[in-house]
Amino acid sequence: MKRTTFIFTLLIIIVSVFFAQPAVAQTEAASDPVDCSTLTGKVMVGYQGWFNCADDGANLGWKHWARNRRKPFASGNVTVDLWPDVSELDPDERFATGFKHADGSTAEVFSSANRKTVQRHFRWMRDYGIDGAFLQRFALGLSAPALLRNNNTVLSHVRAGANQLGRAFAVMYDLSGLKAGQVKRVREDWTRLREQKKITGDTTYLHHEGKPLVAVWGIGFSDNRPYSLEECFELVKWLKSSGCAVMLGVPSFWREGTRDAVNDPLLHEIVQTADVISPWTIGRYRSPEEAVRHATRVWQPDQRWCEQRELDFLPVVFPGFSWHNLHGGKLNQIPRLKGEFFWSQVSAAKRVGCKMIYVAMFDEVDEGTAIFKCTNTPPTANGAQFSTFEGLPSDHYLKLAGRAGTLLKDKSLSKTPANKSPGHRLLIGYGEGLMELDQANNIVWHYQDPEIELVYDAWKLENGNILFSHRFGAREVNPAKQTVWEFNVPREKGKQEINSCQPLEDGKVLILDCGNQRLLEVNRRQQVTLAIDLPDGGKNPHNRYMQARKTPQGTYLISYRDNKKILELNAKGKIIWQYALQENDRPFTAIRLENGRTLVPCITSYRIIEIDPEGKITWELNTKDDLGFQLLYPVGVHVRKNGNLVVINSDYHHKKGMNNDVQAFEINRQKKVLWTLTKDDLEKDGKVPIVERGTKMPSHHLLSIQVIGEPLELK
């Protein structure tokens, strides 16, 4: 689609998250007729239908093939970067160009004015399981008689194709190019289409919420469009009053009013009047990693915003981008990566809970976003330079789009429900305090004291009190925030660092004194009843050890941080088991599981491993796993009774820290993410009552977590 494309310079997140493409079968069975009563559950494509050839009868020349449509379509007069595969087209569907193939044969293309070709395109949609198309109807071309006639011809072909092949279709008006006062053209044209051509009476015309769906694209962009938001608002209100459901094509950052979007409250008012919101994403990310990040940081809060206002959210995905011949940019400016880029967006949309997808575009060869059949052997003579499908079959992206529909409809494949409440209460320790969240992620209890920092360990006890460690000791407070027990170490430089505490069955507390390199059991009278001298951990007390746990067997697990080991000691301090980690590993804690294995979150290698007594890794979660977000420092971990892991995804000390959205998550043994706690959960409506030291930014340095009501010995 010929729309202004913004290419933003994004920070590259170096992660090893790769989205596995589904296996693509050699053939696809034709799908059943589409339910045209709703957009929900659909994968719809954008259909330009704007290609004309000199001899197709429209008298529009080589429109959208050539820079000057009245001159021959040949070298030096070309605007497309992909060459369509016309091998299946009949002779009366092919039009000779001035380009030559390597073997000297004449290169041919198609015309959207040819009824047989448009119907063929809809047959491909049916054969590959694509639900239907939004036909692009450019408002700028509605006033020129020849363009209007051609638009109506293509619309007629689309109607015939949709009706014959059982696909859905709907009209999408593009406002690009209109001058001030010209938005009213859409109202006049839509009236003709409904009243004279009766298009919404077709059984295949797409409806939503019981009403015919009409889309309006180009509202709220920050590229100084001459038409006004006020004009757009009047159009949307009129469409709604005439009994239509309205879909709006808006900028990617419409919710924030930044980058590609105007910062005007009227935009939100227009959006809330509509039924479906579809942000334009072409050029907003350029790699699978950036696509995943965009889905987490932008799509997920967008969708949450829409859900709260009873609007539907339609994300736009695209296979790649290239407009070398159109604007002189780099060929394959956004690489397709053999479908990996496209599938990363589809997977991410599924993970954040999207219920519908818009694929841009079906036939857009101008900007290299087409998913229909294109050739890997475009013209090479005449100095031509075109992109290809990287040797993949010409129908590869049609198959992927069809598989996207299968993924969208398969509820069992969802990984990260958007704004999913965990359904239980959480206790979280962070850089400077503690908070308790209810089942809806609301902060219902908060504790902070200027004297504490680095709450690496926190426990809600059966009596309702909270026990936690901080740099200078361990403390127990009641719900009224009164201190009922405390154990501190002298504030002597180089000997002050308490990194963990653990409530024991006899009322004692296990304390890891990193400064003095000792493991202590302390009773309620603050008396040390057991002291174990630990192996030397180095000069820096902060990096010696991270956490300690007493096991059900009465032994002690120590995360020996800078020495990259897990040690198991008996009550006399003798090492009875140890596990050496990789060179880049730093353990945060070690949890002895009921099966005798040991769970170890490794903070600097961004992974969690399970080790059997022989030292074999029996389970691992790392950055290669397809979570839908970046796995950062997995610090606090609580293993639920059912085996699921609840993990803090901390950005503490991380160079990309403040860009981290997923702060905590629950994952099962099959590595399916069940829910996430996001930055927005904490920030929304001013929920965060805490401030990071030395700044005015909310602190998101979460460090420890407890699922209240789950076994404490698995934390």
Side-chain angles (χ1 to χ4, degrees):
M1 181 170 286
K2 190 176 180 182
R3 294 169 175 166
T4 302
T5 304
F6 299 83
I7 306 296
F8 296 109
T9 302
L10 302 175
L11 293 172
I12 303 298
I13 304 175
I14 305 177
V15 294
S16 300
V17 179
F18 295 101
F19 292 99
Q21 295 172 212
V24 179
Q26 294 300 312
T27 60
E28 300 283 342
S31 58
D32 294 329
V34 172
D35 171 15
C36 298
S37 66
T38 179
L39 181 59
T40 303
K42 301 290 189 299
V43 170
M44 300 286 288
V45 296
Y47 190 77
Q48 299 284 29
W50 61 10
F51 298 99
N52 288 99
C53 299
D55 300 322
D56 64 7
N59 196 30
L60 293 173
W62 293 99
K63 185 166 68 72
H64 276 280
W65 294 113
R67 189 171 305 282
N68 185 333
R69 60 188 174 93
R70 297 301 180 186
K71 292 184 177 181
F73 177 34
S75 181
N77 189 32
V78 57
T79 59
V80 301
D81 274 22
L82 285 170
W83 199 271
D85 180 0
V86 297
S87 61
E88 296 180 24
L89 275 59
D90 293 334
D92 60 347
E93 297 177 73
R94 303 180 188 183
F95 295 83
T97 73
F99 289 96
K100 299 290 184 180
H101 288 295
D103 61 2
S105 62
T106 299
E108 299 171 316
V109 293
F110 70 91
S111 169
S112 304
N114 188 301
R115 188 182 190 89
K116 186 186 293 186
T117 300
V118 174
Q119 288 181 311
R120 186 182 302 277
H121 290 165
F122 273 79
R123 184 174 300 110
W124 289 346
M125 294 180 204
R126 181 203 63 183
D127 292 347
Y128 293 93
I130 298 169
D131 293 305
F134 281 101
L135 173 62
Q136 312 302 301
R137 195 166 172 90
F138 287 81
L140 186 64
L142 298 176
S143 61
L147 291 175
L148 179 59
R149 279 194 303 272
N150 189 64
N151 284 339
N152 289 339
T153 296
V154 175
L155 174 58
S156 175
H157 297 343
V158 166
R159 291 179 71 176
N163 288 322
Q164 180 185 356
L165 283 310
R167 301 298 93 187
F169 82 100
V171 171
M172 178 181 285
Y173 286 101
D174 191 320
L175 306 182
S176 300
L178 291 181
K179 299 185 182 303
Q182 293 183 343
V183 172
K184 62 183 179 182
R185 291 182 183 178
V186 172
R187 176 173 177 170
E188 296 165 355
D189 185 71
W190 181 245
T191 300
R192 286 193 297 268
L193 295 185
R194 288 193 72 182
E195 295 181 359
Q196 297 177 21
K197 297 188 179 295
K198 310 291 184 183
I199 66 166
T200 59
D202 288 11
T203 58
T204 55
Y205 191 88
L206 185 61
H207 284 56
H208 193 62
E209 302 294 339
K211 302 173 183 178
L213 181 65
V214 60
V216 181
W217 192 95
I219 296 178
F221 285 84
S222 59
D223 53 354
N224 299 315
R225 299 187 172 218
Y227 56 87
S228 67
L229 284 178
E230 287 76 12
E231 291 180 74
C232 297
F233 196 18
E234 290 304 313
L235 173 62
V236 173
K237 288 190 292 186
W238 176 81
L239 288 169
K240 292 283 291 183
S241 68
S242 64
C244 295
V246 178
M247 186 184 100
L248 298 184
V250 295
S252 266
F253 298 93
W254 60 274
R255 180 173 46 83
E256 300 171 338
T258 60
R259 305 191 199 187
D260 60 348
V262 296
N263 184 11
D264 190 325
L266 183 56
L267 176 57
H268 278 197
E269 192 172 350
I270 297 171
V271 165
Q272 293 182 77
T273 306
D275 300 276
V276 183
I277 308 305
S278 184
W280 189 244
T281 55
I282 313 302
R284 277 51 171 182
Y285 42 79
R286 300 195 289 181
S287 69
E289 293 80 13
E290 290 180 3
V292 172
R293 181 182 174 191
H294 187 89
T296 304
R297 297 190 63 194
V298 182
W299 283 352
Q300 187 160 316
D302 277 359
Q303 178 160 269
R304 190 174 304 151
W305 190 96
C306 290
E307 286 175 348
Q308 292 167 351
R309 292 157 180 82
E310 298 185 346
L311 300 172
D312 285 308
F313 181 75
L314 178 67
V316 175
V317 306
F318 63 106
F321 178 84
S322 180
W323 60 5
H324 170 74
N325 290 313
L326 182 64
H327 285 297
K330 178 183 177 182
L331 194 67
N332 297 319
Q333 190 169 343
I334 301 179
R336 291 184 172 232
L337 304 177
K338 294 192 172 182
E340 181 186 342
F341 178 64
F342 178 78
W343 196 253
S344 71
Q345 300 164 74
V346 172
S347 300
K350 175 67 175 180
R351 280 183 200 90
V352 300
C354 297
K355 300 174 183 177
M356 50 188 73
I357 289 176
Y358 180 94
V359 178
M361 308 283 290
F362 185 83
D363 56 343
E364 169 68 284
V365 291
D366 311 56
E367 297 181 358
T369 64
I371 67 164
F372 74 164
K373 298 181 182 183
C374 291
T375 182
N376 288 303
T377 56
T380 56
N382 313 90
Q385 190 176 16
F386 298 100
S387 184
T388 70
F389 277 3
E390 304 169 289
L392 296 169
S394 65
D395 63 352
H396 184 75
Y397 290 94
L398 292 172
K399 290 177 179 177
L400 287 185
R403 294 298 175 85
T406 301
L407 181 73
L408 197 65
K409 296 172 179 66
D410 189 347
K411 295 181 180 179
S412 68
L413 296 178
S414 178
K415 285 201 170 185
T416 308
N419 199 29
K420 178 69 174 178
S421 171
H424 41 249
R425 298 172 81 93
L426 304 173
L427 179 69
I428 293 176
Y430 62 93
E432 295 89 30
L434 302 102
M435 54 186 161
E436 184 177 334
L437 307 181
D438 66 11
Q439 290 89 338
N441 291 335
N442 297 305
I443 299 174
V444 294
W445 185 85
H446 173 251
Y447 179 87
Q448 191 176 49
D449 184 327
E451 295 296 314
I452 68 171
E453 57 182 74
L454 297 181
V455 182
Y456 282 134
D457 229 350
W459 312 74
K460 186 163 188 176
L461 308 177
E462 290 185 0
N463 61 8
N465 291 350
I466 307 295
L467 173 71
F468 62 92
S469 68
H470 58 94
R471 185 187 292 275
F472 310 117
R475 182 182 298 181
E476 182 180 334
V477 299
N478 62 23
K481 305 179 183 180
Q482 298 168 323
T483 300
V484 298
W485 181 86
E486 190 163 24
F487 179 86
N488 293 320
V489 295
R491 299 199 177 190
E492 182 181 348
K493 187 176 181 180
K495 292 191 175 182
Q496 54 185 37
E497 187 84 28
I498 301 295
N499 278 352
S500 78
C501 64
Q502 179 188 6
L504 304 179
E505 289 184 357
D506 54 7
K508 296 178 183 178
V509 178
L510 182 70
I511 293 175
L512 179 58
D513 182 353
C514 300
N516 294 291
Q517 304 193 81
R518 298 194 307 165
L519 191 61
L520 309 174
E521 286 192 10
V522 182
N523 65 20
R524 307 305 294 181
R525 296 188 297 276
Q526 301 177 335
Q527 297 171 327
V528 176
T529 61
L530 177 69
I532 300 175
D533 291 327
L534 299 175
D536 182 49
K539 294 182 178 181
N540 187 343
H542 181 68
N543 294 338
R544 289 170 178 163
Y545 323 98
M546 292 304 297
Q547 281 193 344
R549 291 290 184 260
K550 189 172 185 176
T551 72
Q553 295 77 33
T555 60
Y556 302 88
L557 288 172
I558 312 293
S559 54
Y560 201 15
R561 177 182 158 141
D562 272 7
N563 281 282
K564 303 174 281 293
K565 290 182 180 180
I566 298 297
L567 303 180
E568 184 172 4
L569 311 177
N570 63 18
K572 295 182 179 180
K574 180 181 178 181
I575 299 175
I576 60 175
W577 180 81
Q578 61 181 304
Y579 179 80
L581 296 160
Q582 295 177 357
E583 180 61 31
N584 65 334
D585 280 340
R586 298 294 185 276
F588 183 82
T589 191
I591 302 171
R592 179 60 47 80
L593 303 177
E594 292 177 348
N595 59 13
R597 298 170 184 168
T598 305
L599 191 77
V600 181
C602 301
I603 52 179
T604 52
S605 59
Y606 314 143
R607 66 176 186 152
I608 302 174
I609 57 176
E610 181 185 279
I611 311 158
D612 69 12
E614 288 71 43
K616 179 182 177 182
I617 295 178
T618 56
W619 185 86
E620 181 172 355
L621 179 73
N622 57 44
T623 54
K624 293 182 180 180
D625 290 306
D626 187 0
L627 303 183
F629 53 85
Q630 184 181 9
L631 182 63
L632 293 173
Y633 294 160
V635 287
V637 176
H638 195 163
V639 182
R640 299 191 63 191
K641 188 179 296 184
N642 60 9
N644 294 349
L645 275 61
V646 178
V647 183
I648 285 290
N649 194 43
S650 183
D651 50 25
Y652 202 75
H653 290 321
H654 198 277
K655 62 182 179 181
K656 305 292 185 186
M658 297 310 291
N659 293 324
N660 177 33
D661 285 295
V662 176
Q663 302 285 300
F665 61 92
E666 180 174 350
I667 192 166
N668 64 17
R669 298 288 294 188
Q670 291 72 44
K671 303 183 183 180
K672 178 179 180 180
V673 176
L674 304 177
W675 56 262
T676 60
L677 175 72
T678 67
K679 185 180 293 186
D680 193 53
D681 289 322
L682 300 177
E683 286 184 339
K684 187 180 172 184
D685 300 325
K687 284 184 180 179
V688 180
I690 48 185
V691 177
E692 185 177 343
R693 291 168 183 259
T695 75
K696 295 184 179 180
M697 295 295 294
S699 171
H700 296 292
H701 298 328
L702 308 187
L703 298 170
S704 65
I705 193 164
Q706 176 190 348
V707 183
I708 298 173
E710 294 290 334
L712 293 183
E713 61 269 19
L714 295 177
K715 175 182 180 304

